[in-house]
Amino acid sequence: RPAGAQAGQSSVPGAGDAPAAAVVVSKAPAAVLSDGGRIASFGEMSLAASKVRSLKAEGQVVTVSGSGFDETRGVFLALCAVGQNGAAPTTCSAGDQTSAWISSSPPAYASELAKPYAEDGAFTVELRIKPLIDTATDCRRIACAIFTRSDDPASSDRSQELALPVT
């Protein structure tokens, strides 16, 4: 159990240092899970989902909310395969309501794609979570989580990364 974690809480899989071969500016925060795995938190940042267990095989809409994120840094929100040994998440869902881009100052090309943060680095979106991210990535067979990850301008910065493991 991580320092400061209470009984019933656990570290988020995938949080930790990236492998030496990866170029990273920072490591992922050592987040703590609570409320049956529906909330991941680290410092002021929090990520919560309406459902993370027993998701439907055909997919379903899940409400995901966050707060305490750095409003000067955008994040992608998606279902991703958990990286091995603390590496950054690998294959992630994209498009068709399966992902979201949260940024109050997106690059010019993304001004219509990104949703701005609310007050205090907060956001709420609905994602369509499907167990098949692509033809080679089946979350029924490998570890996956709903992740926040830094957006394009800071993609190697993992300080905004939180994860909610799904089953």
Side-chain angles (χ1 to χ4, degrees):
R1 202 165 57 208
Q6 299 175 359
Q9 296 177 328
S10 62
S11 293
V12 173
D17 292 322
V23 177
V24 293
V25 173
S26 64
K27 65 180 184 173
V32 174
L33 290 176
S34 60
D35 192 22
R38 290 187 330 100
I39 300 172
S41 58
F42 177 78
E44 297 295 318
M45 290 189 311
S46 179
L47 182 66
S50 58
K51 186 169 177 126
V52 294
R53 305 277 180 257
S54 303
L55 295 171
K56 296 177 183 175
E58 67 273 13
Q60 72 184 87
V61 174
V62 175
T63 301
V64 182
S65 59
S67 63
F69 285 82
D70 181 347
E71 296 173 54
T72 66
R73 298 174 184 248
V75 294
F76 291 125
L77 179 66
L79 178 67
C80 303
V82 174
Q84 293 185 8
N85 301 318
T90 56
T91 306
C92 295
S93 59
D96 193 26
Q97 298 181 315
T98 63
S99 63
W101 191 347
I102 314 299
S103 178
S104 293
S105 54
Y109 67 86
S111 62
E112 298 295 316
L113 301 173
K115 175 182 177 172
Y117 285 105
E119 189 174 323
D120 297 324
F123 60 85
T124 300
V125 297
E126 288 188 341
L127 295 182
R128 182 142 190 82
I129 303 295
K130 300 177 184 177
L132 290 174
I133 293 176
D134 60 24
T135 57
T137 312
D138 186 342
C139 293
R140 295 170 293 191
R141 295 189 169 87
I142 63 168
C144 292
I146 299 169
F147 274 92
T148 55
R149 357 177 356 189
S150 293
D151 66 5
D152 293 342
S155 60
S156 62
D157 178 2
R158 297 182 69 195
S159 65
Q160 298 278 91
E161 187 176 298
L162 288 178
L164 293 169
V166 299
T167 58

